[in-house]
Amino acid sequence: MTLEWKKVSKRFGDKQAVDELSLEVPEGELLVLIGPSGCGKTTSLKMINRLVDPQTGSVLVGGRDVSHVPAVELRRHIGYVIQHVGLFPHMRVSENVGAVPKLLGWSKEKIEQRVHELLELVGLPPQDYAQSWPAHLSGGEAQRVGVARALAADPPVLLMDEPFGAVDPLTREILQREFLRIQSTLGKTVVFVTHDLDEAIRLGDRIAVMNEGRLVAAAPPAELLLNADPFIRDFTGEDRALRRLARLSVGQALGDATPMKSASRRDASVGAIRTDATLKEALSQMLEAGETSLEAFSPAGRSMGTLTLEDLLERAAGEVAS
Ligand SMILES: Nc1ncnc2c1ncn2[C@@H]1O[C@H](COP(=O)(O)OP(=O)(O)OP(=O)(O)O)[C@@H](O)[C@H]1O
Ligand SMILES: [Mg+2]
Protein backbone atom coordinates (compact mmCIF):
# COMPACT_ATOMS: atom_id res chain seq x y z
CA MET A 1 0.00 0.00 0.00
CA THR A 2 1.46 3.39 -1.03
CA LEU A 3 1.69 6.48 1.18
CA GLU A 4 1.97 10.12 0.25
CA TRP A 5 2.26 13.47 1.98
CA LYS A 6 1.12 16.23 -0.42
CA LYS A 7 2.22 19.73 0.58
CA VAL A 8 1.28 19.01 4.15
CA SER A 9 1.67 21.64 6.87
CA LYS A 10 0.92 21.61 10.59
CA ARG A 11 1.37 24.43 13.08
CA PHE A 12 1.04 24.21 16.86
CA GLY A 13 0.63 27.78 18.16
CA ASP A 14 3.70 29.64 16.92
CA LYS A 15 5.54 26.45 16.09
CA GLN A 16 5.59 25.30 12.45
CA ALA A 17 5.95 21.59 13.19
CA VAL A 18 5.65 20.46 9.57
CA ASP A 19 6.17 22.82 6.66
CA GLU A 20 4.91 21.89 3.17
CA LEU A 21 6.04 18.29 3.33
CA SER A 22 5.74 16.41 0.03
CA LEU A 23 6.94 12.83 -0.11
CA GLU A 24 5.78 9.55 -1.62
CA VAL A 25 6.43 6.08 -0.24
CA PRO A 26 6.03 3.30 -2.79
CA GLU A 27 4.49 -0.02 -1.79
CA GLY A 28 6.90 -2.25 0.13
CA GLU A 29 9.45 0.48 0.82
CA LEU A 30 11.08 0.98 4.20
CA LEU A 31 11.39 4.75 4.47
CA VAL A 32 13.40 6.14 7.37
CA LEU A 33 12.52 9.62 8.68
CA ILE A 34 15.44 11.23 10.46
CA GLY A 35 16.38 14.68 11.74
CA PRO A 36 17.07 16.68 14.90
CA SER A 37 14.73 16.52 17.88
CA GLY A 38 11.61 18.60 17.27
CA CYS A 39 12.00 18.68 13.46
CA GLY A 40 8.53 17.19 12.92
CA LYS A 41 9.11 13.45 12.52
CA THR A 42 6.46 12.22 14.96
CA THR A 43 3.96 14.81 13.74
CA SER A 44 4.49 13.68 10.12
CA LEU A 45 4.02 10.06 11.14
CA LYS A 46 0.85 10.76 13.11
CA MET A 47 -0.74 12.47 10.13
CA ILE A 48 -0.77 9.11 8.35
CA ASN A 49 -3.05 7.43 10.90
CA ARG A 50 -4.91 10.66 11.72
CA LEU A 51 -3.65 11.11 15.25
CA VAL A 52 -2.81 14.59 13.92
CA ASP A 53 -4.71 16.33 11.12
CA PRO A 54 -2.81 18.71 8.81
CA GLN A 55 -3.99 22.30 8.43
CA THR A 56 -3.21 22.35 4.72
CA GLY A 57 -2.29 19.71 2.19
CA SER A 58 -3.39 16.11 2.19
CA VAL A 59 -2.16 12.68 3.17
CA LEU A 60 -2.94 9.69 0.96
CA VAL A 61 -2.92 6.05 2.05
CA GLY A 62 -3.33 3.60 -0.80
CA GLY A 63 -4.28 6.58 -2.97
CA ARG A 64 -7.16 7.65 -0.67
CA ASP A 65 -7.19 10.99 1.13
CA VAL A 66 -7.17 9.97 4.81
CA SER A 67 -9.42 12.88 5.80
CA HIS A 68 -12.23 11.01 4.00
CA VAL A 69 -11.56 7.71 5.76
CA PRO A 70 -12.96 7.14 9.26
CA ALA A 71 -9.99 7.00 11.66
CA VAL A 72 -10.99 3.60 13.07
CA GLU A 73 -11.18 2.02 9.63
CA LEU A 74 -7.90 3.65 8.61
CA ARG A 75 -6.03 2.37 11.67
CA ARG A 76 -7.07 -1.20 10.91
CA HIS A 77 -4.65 -1.12 7.99
CA ILE A 78 -1.85 0.63 9.86
CA GLY A 79 0.29 -0.94 12.57
CA TYR A 80 1.80 1.61 14.93
CA VAL A 81 4.78 1.27 17.25
CA ILE A 82 4.85 4.41 19.37
CA GLN A 83 7.83 6.27 20.79
CA HIS A 84 8.65 4.78 24.26
CA VAL A 85 6.97 1.42 23.51
CA GLY A 86 3.66 2.08 25.29
CA LEU A 87 2.56 -1.45 26.19
CA PHE A 88 -0.67 -1.65 28.20
CA PRO A 89 0.75 -2.22 31.71
CA HIS A 90 -2.31 -4.00 33.09
CA MET A 91 -2.39 -6.57 30.28
CA ARG A 92 -0.18 -9.62 29.90
CA VAL A 93 2.08 -9.90 26.83
CA SER A 94 -0.46 -12.15 25.04
CA GLU A 95 -3.26 -9.63 25.65
CA ASN A 96 -1.10 -6.76 24.43
CA VAL A 97 -0.26 -8.56 21.19
CA GLY A 98 -3.87 -9.71 20.73
CA ALA A 99 -5.43 -6.32 21.49
CA VAL A 100 -6.16 -5.26 17.90
CA PRO A 101 -7.41 -8.67 16.70
CA LYS A 102 -9.74 -8.65 19.73
CA LEU A 103 -11.09 -5.23 18.74
CA LEU A 104 -11.61 -6.63 15.24
CA GLY A 105 -13.76 -9.41 16.74
CA TRP A 106 -11.53 -12.39 15.91
CA SER A 107 -12.36 -15.68 17.63
CA LYS A 108 -10.45 -16.64 20.78
CA GLU A 109 -8.71 -19.54 18.99
CA LYS A 110 -7.64 -17.39 16.07
CA ILE A 111 -6.24 -14.71 18.38
CA GLU A 112 -4.35 -17.30 20.43
CA GLN A 113 -2.82 -18.80 17.31
CA ARG A 114 -1.84 -15.39 15.94
CA VAL A 115 -0.26 -14.32 19.24
CA HIS A 116 1.72 -17.56 19.33
CA GLU A 117 2.93 -17.06 15.75
CA LEU A 118 3.92 -13.42 16.35
CA LEU A 119 5.84 -14.08 19.57
CA GLU A 120 7.79 -16.75 17.69
CA LEU A 121 8.41 -14.29 14.86
CA VAL A 122 9.92 -11.64 17.14
CA GLY A 123 12.01 -14.19 19.01
CA LEU A 124 10.06 -14.43 22.28
CA PRO A 125 9.11 -18.10 22.92
CA PRO A 126 5.36 -17.97 23.76
CA GLN A 127 5.67 -20.57 26.52
CA ASP A 128 8.07 -18.21 28.35
CA TYR A 129 6.57 -14.83 27.53
CA ALA A 130 2.84 -15.02 26.73
CA GLN A 131 1.83 -14.75 30.38
CA SER A 132 4.46 -12.15 31.39
CA TRP A 133 3.59 -8.66 32.57
CA PRO A 134 5.12 -5.70 30.69
CA ALA A 135 6.77 -4.41 33.89
CA HIS A 136 8.83 -7.61 34.11
CA LEU A 137 10.28 -7.40 30.59
CA SER A 138 13.70 -6.01 29.69
CA GLY A 139 13.78 -2.97 27.38
CA GLY A 140 14.60 -5.12 24.35
CA GLU A 141 11.85 -7.65 25.13
CA ALA A 142 9.28 -4.88 25.54
CA GLN A 143 10.26 -3.43 22.16
CA ARG A 144 9.82 -6.85 20.54
CA VAL A 145 6.34 -7.07 22.04
CA GLY A 146 5.63 -3.59 20.64
CA VAL A 147 6.59 -4.79 17.15
CA ALA A 148 4.52 -7.99 17.53
CA ARG A 149 1.51 -5.93 18.64
CA ALA A 150 1.82 -3.63 15.62
CA LEU A 151 1.97 -6.65 13.27
CA ALA A 152 -0.98 -8.45 14.87
CA ALA A 153 -3.70 -7.74 12.32
CA ASP A 154 -1.22 -8.09 9.44
CA PRO A 155 -1.54 -4.45 8.34
CA PRO A 156 -0.01 -3.50 4.97
CA VAL A 157 1.44 -0.33 6.53
CA LEU A 158 3.67 -0.05 9.61
CA LEU A 159 4.52 3.20 11.37
CA MET A 160 7.42 2.88 13.79
CA ASP A 161 8.45 5.81 15.97
CA GLU A 162 11.93 5.16 17.38
CA PRO A 163 10.92 1.55 18.08
CA PHE A 164 14.42 0.52 19.22
CA GLY A 165 15.28 3.79 20.93
CA ALA A 166 15.37 2.69 24.52
CA VAL A 167 17.88 -0.18 24.41
CA ASP A 168 21.66 -0.63 24.54
CA PRO A 169 23.58 -0.64 21.22
CA LEU A 170 24.06 -4.42 21.12
CA THR A 171 20.38 -5.22 21.72
CA ARG A 172 19.51 -2.53 19.22
CA GLU A 173 21.63 -4.21 16.58
CA ILE A 174 19.97 -7.56 17.25
CA LEU A 175 16.51 -5.97 17.00
CA GLN A 176 17.48 -4.25 13.74
CA ARG A 177 18.76 -7.49 12.25
CA GLU A 178 15.61 -9.33 13.24
CA PHE A 179 13.40 -6.56 11.96
CA LEU A 180 15.18 -6.70 8.57
CA ARG A 181 14.59 -10.45 8.50
CA ILE A 182 10.89 -10.01 9.31
CA GLN A 183 10.54 -7.21 6.76
CA SER A 184 12.24 -9.27 4.05
CA THR A 185 9.48 -11.89 4.38
CA LEU A 186 6.51 -9.55 5.04
CA GLY A 187 7.38 -6.68 2.67
CA LYS A 188 5.27 -4.05 4.47
CA THR A 189 5.26 -0.38 3.54
CA VAL A 190 7.12 1.05 6.53
CA VAL A 191 7.82 4.54 7.83
CA PHE A 192 10.49 4.24 10.50
CA VAL A 193 11.50 7.24 12.63
CA THR A 194 14.91 7.37 14.24
CA HIS A 195 17.56 9.72 15.63
CA ASP A 196 20.31 7.26 14.83
CA LEU A 197 22.03 7.69 11.47
CA ASP A 198 23.65 4.25 11.56
CA GLU A 199 20.24 2.69 12.16
CA ALA A 200 18.84 4.70 9.24
CA ILE A 201 21.65 3.55 6.96
CA ARG A 202 21.31 -0.06 7.99
CA LEU A 203 17.54 -0.28 7.64
CA GLY A 204 16.37 2.27 5.09
CA ASP A 205 15.60 1.61 1.46
CA ARG A 206 15.45 5.38 1.44
CA ILE A 207 16.23 8.00 4.08
CA ALA A 208 14.27 11.25 4.34
CA VAL A 209 16.06 13.97 6.31
CA MET A 210 13.93 16.68 7.93
CA ASN A 211 14.94 19.94 9.52
CA GLU A 212 12.61 22.50 11.13
CA GLY A 213 9.53 20.89 9.63
CA ARG A 214 10.90 20.75 6.11
CA LEU A 215 12.13 17.88 3.99
CA VAL A 216 15.79 18.52 3.16
CA ALA A 217 16.49 15.40 1.07
CA ALA A 218 15.19 11.90 0.44
CA ALA A 219 17.49 9.32 -1.14
CA PRO A 220 18.82 5.78 -0.78
CA PRO A 221 21.51 5.64 1.95
CA ALA A 222 24.58 5.41 -0.28
CA GLU A 223 23.30 8.33 -2.35
CA LEU A 224 22.36 10.46 0.64
CA LEU A 225 25.91 10.15 1.94
CA LEU A 226 27.14 11.86 -1.23
CA ASN A 227 24.66 14.74 -0.99
CA ALA A 228 26.47 18.08 -1.01
CA ASP A 229 23.76 20.07 0.81
CA PRO A 230 25.47 21.74 3.81
CA PHE A 231 22.87 20.53 6.33
CA ILE A 232 23.10 16.95 5.03
CA ARG A 233 26.91 17.05 5.03
CA ASP A 234 26.88 18.26 8.58
CA PHE A 235 24.20 15.82 9.66
CA THR A 236 25.89 12.77 8.12
CA GLY A 237 29.17 13.70 9.82
CA GLU A 238 32.86 13.37 9.19
CA ASP A 239 32.78 9.62 8.76
CA ARG A 240 30.19 9.69 6.01
CA ALA A 241 32.60 7.98 3.61
CA LEU A 242 32.89 5.06 6.03
CA ARG A 243 29.15 4.98 6.45
CA ARG A 244 28.81 4.81 2.70
CA LEU A 245 31.04 1.75 2.65
CA ALA A 246 28.71 0.16 5.21
CA ARG A 247 25.89 0.26 2.64
CA LEU A 248 27.80 -1.12 -0.35
CA SER A 249 28.70 -4.77 -0.84
CA VAL A 250 31.92 -6.33 -2.05
CA GLY A 251 29.89 -7.81 -4.90
CA GLN A 252 28.61 -4.38 -5.93
CA ALA A 253 32.17 -3.03 -6.06
CA LEU A 254 33.10 -5.94 -8.33
CA GLY A 255 30.12 -5.32 -10.57
CA ASP A 256 28.23 -8.37 -9.31
CA ALA A 257 24.62 -8.21 -8.22
CA THR A 258 24.84 -10.39 -5.08
CA PRO A 259 22.66 -8.57 -2.56
CA MET A 260 24.30 -7.45 0.64
CA LYS A 261 23.27 -9.18 3.83
CA SER A 262 23.32 -6.19 6.06
CA ALA A 263 24.25 -6.87 9.67
CA SER A 264 24.52 -10.61 9.31
CA ARG A 265 27.40 -12.65 10.66
CA ARG A 266 29.88 -14.17 8.27
CA ASP A 267 32.96 -16.33 8.71
CA ALA A 268 36.13 -14.50 7.72
CA SER A 269 39.26 -16.20 6.54
CA VAL A 270 42.63 -14.57 5.89
CA GLY A 271 42.93 -12.82 2.53
CA ALA A 272 39.40 -13.72 1.49
CA ILE A 273 36.01 -12.05 1.74
CA ARG A 274 32.48 -12.93 0.70
CA THR A 275 30.67 -10.88 -1.94
CA ASP A 276 27.77 -10.28 0.45
CA ALA A 277 30.06 -8.60 3.01
CA THR A 278 30.01 -4.81 3.21
CA LEU A 279 32.89 -2.71 1.93
CA LYS A 280 33.33 -1.42 5.47
CA GLU A 281 33.97 -4.97 6.63
CA ALA A 282 36.38 -5.44 3.72
CA LEU A 283 38.28 -2.29 4.69
CA SER A 284 38.45 -3.39 8.31
CA GLN A 285 39.78 -6.79 7.23
CA MET A 286 42.43 -5.19 5.01
CA LEU A 287 43.57 -2.90 7.82
CA GLU A 288 43.71 -5.74 10.30
CA ALA A 289 45.68 -8.06 8.02
CA GLY A 290 47.82 -5.33 6.49
CA GLU A 291 46.68 -6.44 3.01
CA THR A 292 45.81 -4.18 0.08
CA SER A 293 43.68 -6.76 -1.68
CA LEU A 294 41.26 -9.57 -0.85
CA GLU A 295 40.00 -12.51 -2.89
CA ALA A 296 36.23 -12.36 -3.19
CA PHE A 297 34.05 -15.47 -3.03
CA SER A 298 30.33 -15.86 -3.56
CA PRO A 299 28.32 -17.24 -0.61
CA ALA A 300 28.42 -20.57 -2.50
CA GLY A 301 32.23 -20.45 -2.53
CA ARG A 302 32.78 -19.47 -6.18
CA SER A 303 35.78 -17.21 -6.84
CA MET A 304 34.55 -13.77 -7.93
CA GLY A 305 37.78 -11.82 -8.46
CA THR A 306 39.99 -9.53 -6.42
CA LEU A 307 38.91 -6.53 -4.39
CA THR A 308 41.67 -3.94 -4.07
CA LEU A 309 42.11 -1.07 -1.64
CA GLU A 310 41.90 1.21 -4.66
CA ASP A 311 38.41 -0.13 -5.51
CA LEU A 312 37.43 0.66 -1.93
CA LEU A 313 38.76 4.20 -1.97
CA GLU A 314 36.96 4.95 -5.22
CA ARG A 315 33.72 3.66 -3.78
CA ALA A 316 34.13 5.62 -0.54
CA ALA A 317 34.60 8.82 -2.52
CA GLY A 318 31.56 7.97 -4.65
CA GLU A 319 33.55 8.13 -7.88
CA VAL A 320 31.81 5.05 -9.26
CA ALA A 321 28.08 5.14 -9.84
CA SER A 322 26.40 2.63 -7.53
N1 LIG B 1 0.47 18.50 20.51
C1 LIG B 1 1.39 19.46 20.40
N2 LIG B 1 1.18 20.70 20.93
C2 LIG B 1 2.11 21.67 20.80
N3 LIG B 1 3.29 21.51 20.16
C3 LIG B 1 3.55 20.32 19.63
C4 LIG B 1 2.62 19.23 19.72
N4 LIG B 1 3.15 18.16 19.10
C5 LIG B 1 4.35 18.56 18.64
N5 LIG B 1 4.59 19.85 18.95
C6 LIG B 1 5.80 20.61 18.58
O1 LIG B 1 6.03 20.44 17.20
C7 LIG B 1 7.42 20.25 16.92
C8 LIG B 1 7.62 18.92 16.22
O2 LIG B 1 7.35 17.88 17.14
P1 LIG B 1 7.56 16.33 16.81
O3 LIG B 1 7.09 15.57 17.96
O4 LIG B 1 6.95 16.05 15.48
O5 LIG B 1 9.15 16.28 16.67
P2 LIG B 1 10.10 15.02 16.48
O6 LIG B 1 10.90 15.29 15.25
O7 LIG B 1 9.34 13.76 16.53
O8 LIG B 1 11.07 15.15 17.76
P3 LIG B 1 11.78 13.99 18.65
O9 LIG B 1 12.93 13.52 17.82
O10 LIG B 1 12.23 14.74 19.86
O11 LIG B 1 10.77 12.93 18.93
C9 LIG B 1 8.11 20.35 18.26
O12 LIG B 1 8.60 21.67 18.42
C10 LIG B 1 7.02 20.07 19.28
O13 LIG B 1 7.26 20.73 20.49
MG1 LIG C 1 9.28 12.18 17.91
Side-chain angles (χ1 to χ4, degrees), residues 82-313:
I82 61 173
Q83 206 166 350
H84 311 303
V85 189
L87 297 180
F88 307 123
H90 56 288
M91 290 186 188
R92 292 177 192 272
V93 164
S94 58
E95 295 161 312
N96 264 282
V97 175
V100 175
K102 191 171 174 196
L103 280 177
L104 296 178
W106 293 17
S107 73
K108 206 163 157 257
E109 294 72 39
K110 197 172 162 201
I111 295 175
E112 228 164 75
Q113 196 198 335
R114 181 71 180 146
V115 167
H116 190 96
E117 186 180 297
L118 282 163
L119 289 177
E120 293 277 4
L121 184 73
V122 299
L124 298 173
Q127 61 276 21
D128 299 334
Y129 288 95
Q131 297 309 313
S132 300
W133 296 101
H136 299 161
L137 300 173
S138 74
E141 289 164 348
Q143 302 211 292
R144 284 164 201 254
V145 175
V147 171
R149 188 176 61 179
L151 288 170
D154 199 18
V157 176
L158 262 188
L159 308 179
M160 307 178 79
D161 198 346
E162 309 205 26
F164 311 140
V167 292
D168 62 277
L170 192 66
T171 306
R172 180 186 277 230
E173 219 178 293
I174 294 168
L175 291 171
Q176 289 166 352
R177 196 181 315 154
E178 298 204 339
F179 182 65
L180 277 180
R181 175 183 56 78
I182 292 170
Q183 169 65 3
S184 73
T185 62
L186 300 182
K188 308 276 181 198
T189 305
V190 184
V191 183
F192 188 110
V193 171
T194 184
H195 269 107
D196 176 350
L197 183 62
D198 290 311
E199 179 165 83
I201 291 168
R202 185 171 292 143
L203 297 184
D205 295 318
R206 229 163 25 121
I207 302 175
V209 183
M210 293 183 71
N211 187 31
E212 295 181 350
R214 284 188 297 275
L215 178 69
V216 187
E223 208 175 292
L224 186 84
L225 294 169
L226 290 176
N227 192 310
D229 177 273
F231 179 80
I232 303 283
R233 282 194 76 99
D234 199 40
F235 189 75
T236 50
E238 284 171 359
D239 45 356
R240 63 199 231 125
L242 270 183
R243 293 192 149 119
R244 212 176 123 65
L245 290 182
R247 260 316 282 251
L248 297 168
S249 71
V250 171
Q252 279 172 309
L254 293 172
D256 169 54
T258 310
M260 183 177 57
K261 285 216 186 114
S262 140
S264 69
R265 297 243 159 252
R266 295 172 208 85
D267 302 322
S269 59
V270 181
I273 188 131
R274 279 172 47 159
T275 47
D276 61 349
T278 68
L279 291 181
K280 189 176 170 188
E281 290 169 311
L283 178 62
S284 163
Q285 205 173 314
M286 285 183 191
L287 292 175
E288 230 164 272
E291 305 269 4
T292 55
S293 67
L294 295 170
E295 291 308 311
F297 291 90
S298 73
R302 205 149 38 91
S303 174
M304 303 297 284
T306 306
L307 179 76
T308 65
L309 184 57
E310 220 164 43
D311 294 335
L312 270 178
L313 296 178

